[in-house]
Amino acid sequence: MKISYNWIKELVDFDISPDDLAEELSLVGFEVDGVDKKGLDFPNVVVGKVLKKEKHPNADKLSLCTVTTGGSENLSIICGAPNVAEGQIVPVAMVGAELPGGFKIRKAKIRGVESFGMICSEQELGISEKSDGIWVLPDDLNIGEPLSKTFETDYVLDVGITPNRPDAMSHIGIAREVAAIAGTTLKKPQTNLSETSEKIADSVGVEIQCPQSCPRYSARLIRNVKIAPSPNWMVRRLEDLGMRSINNLIDITNYVLLETGQPLHAFDYDFVAGGKIIVRESIEGEKFVTLDEKEHELQTGTVLICDAEKPVALGGIMGGLNSEVRDDTKHILLESAYFQPESIQKSLRHLGMHTEASSRFERGTDPNGVLYASARAAQLFSELAGGEIAEGVVDQYPETIHPVKISLKPEKINRLLGTNLSADKMTELLAKVDLPVQDNTVIVPTFRPDMKRTADVAEEVGRVYGYNNIPMPQASPLPYENPHNEFDDYIESVRDVLVGIGVQEVVTGSLVNSKLCEEFTGQQLYPILNPLNADMDGMRNSLVPNLLNVLKWNINRQWKDLAIFELNRVYFHPGDINKRPNEEFHLAIALTGKRDGDSWLATREAYNFYDVKGLVEYFAGKISLDNLVFIPYDNFAVESQSMKILCGNMEIGYLGKINRNLQKYYDLETPVFVANINIKSVYELTQKAYQIHELPRFPYVERDLAFILNKSIAAQELVNTIQKFGGKYLQNAYVFDTYSGKQIEAGKKSIAFRLIFQSPEKTLVEDEINQSIDQILASIEKQYDAQLRS
């Protein structure tokens, strides 16, 4: 938030430079990102007046202006701005002036006519980044006065306000902190209203139909306002703080917002039907057009400010086009209200809007500061717009919100802070930030919604006392030993294995789009009750959709050859929303693009199904996961190349090629191969004792067998059969070749297996091996109607 140094000085007597104040504020929890000088200290730049405007004799788009700067002679200045006109008060850079960027003003001849200076725009004076024409100044300025004297130099502090401190989103809020730093008191502007004999109750009525969403609503009536430009001091202050000046009426509400932190809204009273305000909640599908001329479809529960016939504003967010202040507005109905923060937050998420008002209401404004802000604005309407204030204020406040009371516990506070402060000292410190202590109880004003417990009181004591004054402890009583978690260690070892294989780790968020994930997994997601947006409304029950998003993001940035994995938690709906979701730890792997990239040594072959299957097998071997079995099955998330992964009789995951519909949804042109494994189940399967044997001293024997069989039979089935009937000396069996073509009958294929036989006790003889081979051949020929290929 941008804060004016001069404005703070009007509220607090202190003698601290802008840079030092920035440091002091940072020390009490309000980090200042920068201090920006706002001034027009340019020698020879003065206030002037355009006396005459003529067309340049030799240029269609240039004007020849006669300008007075209060001297004995008028200046002839050529100007190219389209908005220059006779009678305007303007900034004039005379010959010899130097503008931002080192631009020096010299006497010049333009198209044969001499020019003695320049009429400046805001951009040329460094006030704004862009200008459409010259800067037209207020009419009440003194001609010839230096611009630096007319516009006082100010310093704008860019203060970081944490979400829990809505009270600091105003100049009064920051001034309260400055008063505590400087050891002085806050001087809030006093309000002294001069009211007419018209009683507001005769002209304005307020009814709150949703007190839980809008606990307080007040209204004032100001008649016979005169719309005009705001005074120079207000214009400069607003624009220095990033707000565009519109007119005196709108500027006053913005000024009071920045001063008090209380958003206000001015309605054209003549467009408020019946002079009545009704506060209610919207119904599903109701539509409303806001000041920015956009139509919004509302959900149930959005606070609507209505008159006797129609909605006129979105409560706490933005006014309506049908009741806005116009150029001919005469009478103002001024709103000052308090809206429940959660209600505003919910509406903002649905509408996708953000305004200065909503940014304060969603954090929590002061319900008991409503009338002060209203009175402050009414006074300015009277002073700056000639407004006549009706007597009284309509204030609907069904249930008063009282200050929170927190017991002062010096021992606990000292223990939290590491200090040794007395209760009296704490009372003194808290009083500096308007937190009085009565009977050992801290009375928390309603402008501090963040304070609810003793720890919050301790934070305030520490801030005001000064964190740099808290002594550094010589020893800490906190235990540093963490309980050992074997599963966490196992996860780290799995991560190391995967990285060692050459797969890159990614980490994604747990919140996902429930509609998409439910389509992918076919299971209901555990919902988020108050999602930030529609793409984060459920807890993920699979890591694969997130990996596909990662692939898409990288491919869109020209990284096309990818092998990634994620090790993380997934969440499953327990069937009852009142219960916590069931958590599991999963591993997901995704491959796409070329296996070896574009190196000249690489094969430049694309990843295929056997890459992801082989990676899973290799990974299983590295973590001692035995008896891995792959069974074809139908999975709507992956295409025909899909396998269920079993270990023994336990299903631990699946792998395969992502189907075309999902691939198209993610805009992925190259095939993607994925694997998903339940790591918790794998952990349980691998937690067993292993017996270590010495390396065999005797040689192994290889035998190759090739079978011709139906294409529908999976190679894994034959491997399982070979291992079952291979006898005690069979150590391994794997596929080393497949073939289908002209030499093989249609519908058939050839699969070649390599068998490894070895004994730890002796050298095997031919008869022992042949006996095992005969058993294998007999079983395979019988079970699969396979023929041994010669």
Side-chain angles (χ1 to χ4, degrees):
M1 177 179 172
K2 296 185 182 301
I3 297 292
S4 163
Y5 176 80
N6 289 348
W7 201 341
I8 297 297
K9 287 189 72 71
E10 294 173 8
L11 297 168
V12 181
D13 290 326
F14 68 96
D15 187 19
I16 306 174
S17 70
D19 289 332
D20 289 343
L21 181 61
E23 184 175 351
E24 293 286 349
L25 285 171
S26 296
L27 290 174
V28 295
F30 298 98
E31 185 176 356
V32 179
D33 293 330
V35 179
D36 187 16
K37 184 178 180 180
K38 296 288 185 180
L40 300 173
D41 190 13
F42 306 119
N44 291 327
V45 179
V46 299
V47 177
K49 183 176 182 178
V50 180
L51 299 177
K52 189 177 181 181
K53 173 190 172 183
E54 299 176 294
K55 182 178 177 298
H56 191 291
N58 303 318
D60 293 336
K61 295 184 178 181
L62 297 179
S63 301
L64 180 60
C65 300
T66 302
V67 179
T68 177
T69 58
S72 57
E73 295 184 3
N74 297 329
L75 301 177
S76 178
I77 299 177
I78 296 174
C79 181
N83 65 327
V84 66
E86 292 181 2
Q88 289 176 336
I89 306 299
V90 294
V92 178
M94 298 189 295
V95 173
E98 184 173 343
L99 301 184
F103 181 62
K104 294 182 179 181
I105 303 300
R106 298 181 176 88
K107 183 176 71 171
K109 182 176 285 189
I110 303 175
R111 296 287 182 95
V113 178
E114 289 188 324
S115 179
F116 299 87
M118 184 173 73
I119 302 174
C120 302
S121 67
E122 292 187 21
Q123 182 180 7
E124 289 159 343
L125 292 172
I127 296 173
S128 63
E129 295 183 0
K130 185 178 180 181
S131 298
D132 295 326
I134 61 167
W135 182 16
V136 181
L137 301 176
D139 292 337
D140 57 354
L141 301 186
N142 298 323
I143 305 301
E145 189 171 66
L147 213 60
S148 58
K149 185 177 180 180
T150 302
F151 297 98
E152 183 183 11
T153 298
D154 196 1
Y155 296 87
V156 174
L157 283 67
D158 190 357
V159 184
I161 309 297
T162 53
N164 67 318
R165 291 299 303 272
D167 62 296
M169 296 184 71
S170 67
H171 280 75
I172 288 177
I174 293 296
R176 184 180 292 111
E177 297 292 331
V178 174
I181 292 169
T184 182
T185 56
L186 171 67
K187 300 180 298 182
K188 288 177 64 175
Q190 298 299 309
T191 57
N192 184 17
L193 302 183
S194 177
E195 300 177 334
T196 66
S197 59
E198 178 186 5
K199 297 186 183 299
I200 191 172
D202 297 334
S203 304
V204 177
V206 173
E207 178 187 347
I208 300 178
Q209 296 181 357
C210 53
Q212 63 276 22
S213 301
C214 177
R216 188 174 194 179
Y217 192 99
S218 73
R220 290 186 189 271
L221 179 61
I222 302 96
R223 291 194 180 274
N224 299 318
V225 294
K226 298 176 181 62
I227 294 183
S230 295
N232 175 58
W233 63 269
M234 181 174 281
V235 172
R236 292 271 38 89
R237 186 159 281 181
L238 289 175
E239 294 191 348
D240 283 350
L241 298 175
M243 281 193 169
R244 182 171 60 91
S245 175
I246 300 173
N247 58 51
N248 53 352
L249 302 188
I250 302 302
D251 289 355
I252 286 169
T253 60
N254 287 334
Y255 184 85
V256 175
L257 165 70
L258 295 176
E259 182 177 66
T260 67
Q262 172 65 43
L264 305 171
H265 186 71
F267 296 101
D268 187 322
Y269 176 75
D270 291 332
F271 289 92
V272 178
K276 185 172 184 180
I277 292 293
I278 299 172
V279 186
R280 65 172 176 84
E281 291 184 346
S282 63
I283 58 176
E284 189 72 30
E286 194 168 358
K287 295 182 179 180
F288 182 74
V289 180
T290 47
L291 282 171
D292 55 4
E293 301 183 6
K294 293 182 180 179
E295 183 179 77
H296 302 273
E297 185 171 325
L298 309 179
Q299 63 179 357
T300 302
T302 299
V303 177
L304 279 177
I305 311 302
C306 308
D307 60 19
E309 300 174 354
K310 62 188 179 300
V312 292
L314 295 176
I317 300 174
M318 187 180 287
L321 193 63
N322 54 12
S323 61
E324 67 173 333
V325 172
R326 296 166 170 80
D327 292 339
D328 59 349
T329 294
K330 297 294 183 184
H331 312 301
I332 290 293
L333 190 151
L334 180 64
E335 167 195 288
S336 182
Y338 171 74
F339 299 98
Q340 208 262 349
E342 286 77 8
S343 174
I344 299 297
Q345 293 166 9
K346 181 180 178 182
S347 298
L348 290 176
R349 284 195 295 269
H350 173 73
L351 295 169
M353 298 175 65
H354 178 81
T355 62
E356 287 288 343
S358 67
S359 67
R360 288 162 173 82
F361 280 128
E362 70 174 333
R363 289 168 172 80
T365 57
D366 181 9
N368 294 316
V370 165
L371 294 187
Y372 171 77
S374 176
R376 175 74 170 134
Q379 181 174 340
L380 291 173
F381 278 126
S382 176
E383 295 174 356
L384 305 180
E388 300 170 358
I389 308 169
E391 181 183 344
V393 57
V394 178
D395 181 25
Q396 292 296 321
Y397 198 5
E399 188 171 342
T400 303
I401 299 174
H402 297 286
V404 171
K405 296 181 179 181
I406 305 173
S407 296
L408 182 65
K409 300 177 181 178
E411 290 184 4
K412 184 174 182 179
I413 292 172
N414 280 324
R415 187 168 65 252
L416 288 170
L417 294 176
T419 54
N420 189 26
L421 303 175
S422 66
D424 289 342
K425 182 62 176 177
M426 292 181 184
T427 300
E428 176 189 336
L429 294 170
L430 292 170
K432 290 184 176 184
V433 285
D434 289 354
L435 294 169
V437 178
Q438 299 175 3
D439 299 327
N440 290 321
T441 301
V442 182
I443 311 301
V444 181
T446 49
F447 62 73
R448 289 298 302 272
D450 59 306
M451 293 192 61
K452 299 176 182 177
R453 53 183 183 163
T454 299
D456 300 323
V457 177
E459 181 180 359
E460 292 304 296
V461 170
R463 284 195 323 108
V464 182
Y465 180 65
Y467 295 129
N468 54 329
N469 294 322
I470 298 175
M472 183 71 70
Q474 297 301 312
S476 173
L478 297 176
Y480 284 99
E481 293 184 3
N482 292 322
H484 184 68
N485 188 315
E486 291 186 357
F487 183 69
D488 287 346
D489 293 343
Y490 183 76
I491 291 298
E492 286 302 315
S493 66
V494 168
R495 182 174 286 111
D496 291 342
V497 168
L498 289 163
V499 172
I501 292 173
V503 195
Q504 187 171 2
E505 183 179 18
V506 300
V507 180
T508 63
S510 297
L511 303 182
V512 295
N513 184 315
S514 61
K515 181 179 179 181
L516 175 62
C517 253
E518 285 173 0
E519 289 180 1
F520 185 89
T521 63
Q523 298 176 333
Q524 182 184 6
L525 261 66
Y526 192 82
I528 300 298
L529 296 181
N530 295 303
L532 296 175
N533 57 58
D535 288 329
M536 303 175 70
D537 63 342
M539 302 289 285
R540 65 182 175 197
N541 59 4
S542 173
L543 299 174
V544 175
N546 284 1
L547 289 193
L548 297 180
N549 271 322
V550 172
L551 294 181
K552 176 182 177 181
W553 192 93
N554 280 274
I555 290 171
N556 288 341
R557 287 156 181 80
Q558 308 303 313
W559 292 96
K560 298 181 179 180
D561 306 318
L562 299 162
I564 60 175
F565 78 91
E566 180 169 10
L567 265 171
N568 225 319
R569 289 180 174 82
V570 293
Y571 309 86
F572 293 95
H573 202 302
D576 185 350
I577 191 60
N578 296 315
K579 294 182 180 179
R580 291 174 59 88
N582 300 322
E583 295 186 20
E584 292 182 3
F585 216 100
H586 280 201
L587 161 66
I589 300 170
L591 310 176
T592 191
K594 300 185 184 72
R595 185 184 303 116
D596 303 313
D598 288 324
S599 168
W600 67 275
L601 286 172
T603 61
R604 302 190 183 185
E605 294 179 355
Y607 282 115
N608 58 42
F609 169 79
Y610 297 102
D611 287 306
V612 70
K613 180 173 179 286
L615 194 151
V616 170
E617 289 178 314
Y618 186 76
F619 166 72
K622 297 291 287 185
I623 62 172
S624 301
L625 183 64
D626 302 327
N627 302 321
L628 213 59
V629 178
F630 299 91
I631 298 178
Y633 85 124
D634 293 329
N635 183 334
F636 61 90
V638 291
E639 286 188 333
S640 57
Q641 289 181 313
S642 62
M643 289 280 185
K644 184 187 299 183
I645 307 172
L646 283 76
C647 185
N649 295 322
M650 179 183 290
E651 182 178 345
I652 61 171
Y654 67 86
L655 61 83
K657 179 182 177 183
I658 292 296
N659 72 40
R660 291 184 179 86
N661 291 334
L662 279 170
Q663 193 170 314
K664 183 177 180 181
Y665 177 86
Y666 285 97
D667 294 327
L668 298 170
E669 296 181 359
T670 56
V672 178
F673 300 89
V674 299
N676 188 82
I677 298 172
N678 186 331
I679 289 296
K680 189 68 174 179
S681 297
V682 170
Y683 170 74
E684 294 170 356
L685 289 167
T686 55
Q687 297 309 296
K688 55 188 177 182
Y690 289 92
Q691 188 175 1
I692 305 300
H693 299 279
E694 64 177 342
L695 291 173
R697 292 178 296 161
F698 301 97
Y700 64 83
V701 179
E702 290 184 359
R703 289 288 188 271
D704 293 341
L705 297 177
F707 296 97
I708 298 174
L709 65 164
N710 291 330
K711 282 187 175 181
S712 61
I713 301 173
Q716 185 64 46
E717 295 183 44
L718 274 73
V719 170
N720 295 341
T721 302
I722 291 170
Q723 291 175 336
K724 180 178 179 181
F725 293 96
K728 63 179 180 178
Y729 299 130
L730 179 65
Q731 301 298 317
N732 194 11
Y734 58 89
V735 176
F736 74 89
D737 187 34
T738 62
Y739 174 78
S740 59
K742 296 180 180 179
Q743 299 180 21
I744 303 295
E745 182 182 344
K748 301 280 188 177
K749 63 182 175 181
S750 170
I751 303 180
F753 299 89
R754 180 152 294 158
L755 283 56
I756 307 296
F757 295 92
Q758 189 175 32
S759 170
E761 301 170 348
K762 61 179 181 177
T763 299
L764 295 176
V765 297
E766 195 73 19
D767 289 343
E768 292 172 318
I769 296 172
N770 289 340
Q771 185 178 354
S772 297
I773 293 294
D774 291 340
Q775 292 176 354
I776 291 170
L777 291 174
S779 59
I780 287 180
E781 289 174 358
K782 180 179 180 182
Q783 290 187 38
Y784 306 107
D785 191 25
Q787 297 178 355
L788 185 65
R789 185 181 179 191
S790 57

